[in-house]
Amino acid sequence: MDVSMGLWVLTILGLAALIAVDFFIGRKPHEVSIKEAGIWTAVWIALAGLFGLGLLVFGGGQPAGEFFAGFITEKSLSVDNLFVFVLIMAKFAVPAQYQQRVLLVGVLIALVLRAVFIAAGAAIIASFSWVFFLFGAFLIWTAWKLIKEARADQEDEEYEENKLLKAAERRFGVADRYHGTKLWIQQNGKRVMTPMLVVMLAIGTTDVLFALDSIPAIFGLTQDPYIVFTANAFALMGLRQLYFLIGGLLKKLVHLSYGLSIILGFIGVKLVLHALHETGVHVPEISIPVSLGVICAVLVVTTITSLIATRKQAAAEAARTDGARTSKDGIDV
């Protein structure tokens, strides 16, 4: 898809305007309700859908299909981010009324860092076509790693601050408590960071780790930097509302890691086939409609099996509780 500099500028200005509106509406710290989160989640998904339809009308079916496949993939991978966001919020004991501000700024930091990753990835792909072999192998390895982590069933997982965050805390110091939405305060004659700024940096920099697999994954669906960037932008900008909407349901998605591993492995194979095709080897390539169908089917099946598994687990726990209560009553008698 041929994208002019003017369209790039208009797109970035449009996204900035949407972010500004979102920030203006939620500028007053408050606890986000399920209703509010649901409305805004629907709004961001609708905006992504309208953007995809615009690509269909003005760019054709190929760019639109690539955008929807990329958006759904990035959205599903971003849900995995929410598990870590929950750990970060608990680690720093973020008050409920400040969580939306933390997520908004943290996601903005993540979006800027991802833009850098996308630009670097596009430049590498343009110069070295063999990099698709590396991307494909990395995604297949990541898929296997996700399966191993899912089977390990780590119940007591905790968030560990990265080295960059620890270095910033040592350099500037951190206040002992939250001071509203302030990011810096004067303490004992020294300017120090507040826990609010630390949490924002934690969310923004942690997302970089997730970008290591999500960026190669979307490049496996499209090599158009414009589509890669916009799909990431729409997936990330609705992440804050999604956090409040399904935060309580995350524990029920017990098979999510398996589904994501299948998606990453599938795209990894697609990248390897594409790389072989680029080198002149006659191998079948996986089309965008097939990719979109596989991704959607995996997510639907994963969600259904997760809900069935959690329901069975809840029923088994209830049965054990009733059995233990019955035994206790018998002993008492």
Side-chain angles (χ1 to χ4, degrees):
M1 181 177 173
D2 187 19
V3 180
S4 64
M5 182 58 67
L7 182 57
W8 269 106
V9 172
L10 286 175
T11 302
I12 293 174
L13 289 177
L15 292 173
L18 291 173
I19 293 170
V21 170
D22 191 9
F23 182 83
F24 179 79
I25 292 175
R27 69 189 185 281
K28 184 178 180 181
H30 66 283
E31 190 170 349
V32 179
S33 65
I34 296 295
K35 180 181 178 181
E36 179 183 348
I39 291 173
W40 275 101
T41 298
V43 167
W44 282 114
I45 292 176
L47 289 172
L50 290 174
F51 183 83
L53 291 176
L55 286 177
L56 177 63
V57 172
F58 297 104
Q62 180 75 10
E66 291 176 352
F67 171 79
F68 284 118
F71 172 73
I72 293 172
T73 299
E74 293 297 319
K75 199 71 173 178
S76 60
L77 290 172
S78 68
V79 172
D80 204 29
N81 297 19
L82 298 183
F83 286 99
V84 180
F85 290 175
V86 169
L87 296 177
I88 292 174
M89 293 293 188
K91 167 82 173 181
F92 294 98
V94 182
Q97 67 269 27
Y98 298 142
Q99 289 184 5
Q100 63 158 349
R101 178 68 61 86
V102 167
L103 288 170
L104 176 61
V105 178
V107 166
L108 286 178
I109 295 172
L111 184 58
V112 172
L113 294 176
R114 285 201 181 199
V116 175
F117 270 60
I118 292 168
I124 293 172
I125 288 172
S127 302
F128 310 102
S129 60
W130 50 262
V131 78
F132 286 113
F133 284 112
L134 297 180
F135 281 180
F138 178 74
L139 289 180
I140 293 171
W141 175 80
T142 303
W144 172 244
K145 185 181 176 184
L146 271 178
I147 292 177
K148 289 178 65 178
E149 290 176 354
R151 295 181 67 181
D153 193 22
Q154 299 173 349
E155 294 288 339
D156 300 324
E157 186 179 0
E158 293 184 1
Y159 169 73
E160 181 67 27
E161 296 178 25
N162 56 58
K163 293 182 180 179
L164 180 63
L165 195 59
K166 290 180 178 179
E169 292 177 0
R170 288 194 301 268
R171 170 65 178 82
F172 299 103
V174 182
D176 57 353
R177 62 181 179 87
Y178 287 89
H179 293 264
T181 57
K182 291 182 179 179
L183 305 181
W184 298 89
I185 63 164
Q186 291 289 334
Q187 183 172 286
N188 299 325
K190 181 182 177 182
R191 194 164 181 258
V192 299
M193 299 189 300
T194 65
M196 175 74 76
L197 179 57
V198 176
V199 180
M200 290 176 179
L201 293 175
I203 289 178
T205 54
T206 299
D207 183 79
V208 173
L209 301 177
F210 291 97
L212 293 177
D213 54 40
S214 65
I215 297 301
I218 194 171
F219 270 117
L221 299 169
T222 176
Q223 286 81 59
D224 191 327
Y226 182 76
I227 296 177
V228 172
F229 173 74
T230 51
N232 267 273
F234 279 106
L236 279 178
M237 287 192 299
L239 191 59
R240 178 168 64 97
Q241 289 78 14
L242 198 61
Y243 171 87
F244 295 106
L245 181 63
I246 69 172
L249 299 176
L250 286 176
K251 292 183 178 180
K252 294 184 177 181
L253 300 176
V254 292
H255 295 161
L256 178 64
S257 293
Y258 293 106
L260 295 180
S261 66
I262 293 172
I263 292 173
L264 290 177
F266 170 77
I267 298 175
V269 172
K270 183 179 186 298
L271 275 171
V272 172
L273 291 175
H274 177 74
L276 290 171
H277 184 79
E278 289 291 314
T279 57
V281 180
H282 296 289
V283 293
E285 285 201 89
I286 302 172
S287 66
I288 287 298
V290 171
S291 299
L292 187 57
V294 169
I295 292 167
C296 291
V298 169
L299 291 176
V300 170
V301 172
T302 300
T303 301
I304 293 173
T305 57
S306 293
L307 295 178
I308 292 174
T310 51
R311 185 177 299 176
K312 288 182 178 179
Q313 183 180 1
E317 291 178 355
R320 284 196 298 268
T321 302
D322 291 340
R325 186 181 297 113
T326 302
S327 299
K328 183 178 182 299
D329 292 342
I331 293 173
D332 290 341
V333 171

